[in-house]
Amino acid sequence: SDLIAAFSDRRPYVEQMLIRVAHNEQLVAQRTTEVQKLMLLATSEAVLSEARRMGIRWFLLRPGQGVNWPAAIVGSPAFTSGTVRVYRFD
């Protein structure tokens, strides 16, 4: 989508891929675990604090990805394109 293309020049913290890549596999696994934990946080303070700690300014949420974030965050994406939502954490 155009929205995803707009963020293609940003350095990803971690990106889910269908194909496993051996390059930096341990770092990818660690960051994937950290992002999964971020997605489970339930308070605005915890989400924002952890995103800042991780250095994540933008978070792209694809269709079917669930988060445990409070309605104040989930309901306020910075951008949407169809069912893709982008959140800004800074």
Side-chain angles (χ1 to χ4, degrees), residues 1-4 61-64 77 79-87:
S1 85
D2 291 339
L3 180 62
I4 295 170
L61 194 59
R62 296 174 190 258
F79 305 102
T80 60
S81 178
T83 55
V84 175
R85 295 170 284 168
V86 177
Y87 297 89

Side-chain angles (χ1 to χ4, degrees), residues 15-73:
E15 183 176 348
Q16 282 187 313
M17 299 172 63
L18 296 175
I19 301 170
R20 291 187 65 114
V21 179
H23 180 72
N24 289 332
E25 187 173 358
Q26 185 174 7
L27 179 61
V28 170
Q30 174 190 343
R31 287 186 170 191
T32 298
T33 298
E34 289 177 356
V35 167
Q36 290 169 343
K37 289 178 182 177
L38 173 68
M39 294 171 72
L40 293 174
L41 296 175
T43 67
S44 295
E45 297 80 19
V47 172
L48 297 174
S49 175
E50 188 63 9
R52 286 185 193 117
R53 184 196 69 76
M54 295 167 67
I56 294 176
R57 293 187 57 213
W58 297 96
F59 192 97
L60 190 142
L61 194 59
R62 296 174 190 258
Q65 286 183 304
V67 292
N68 198 37
W69 301 342
I73 292 179

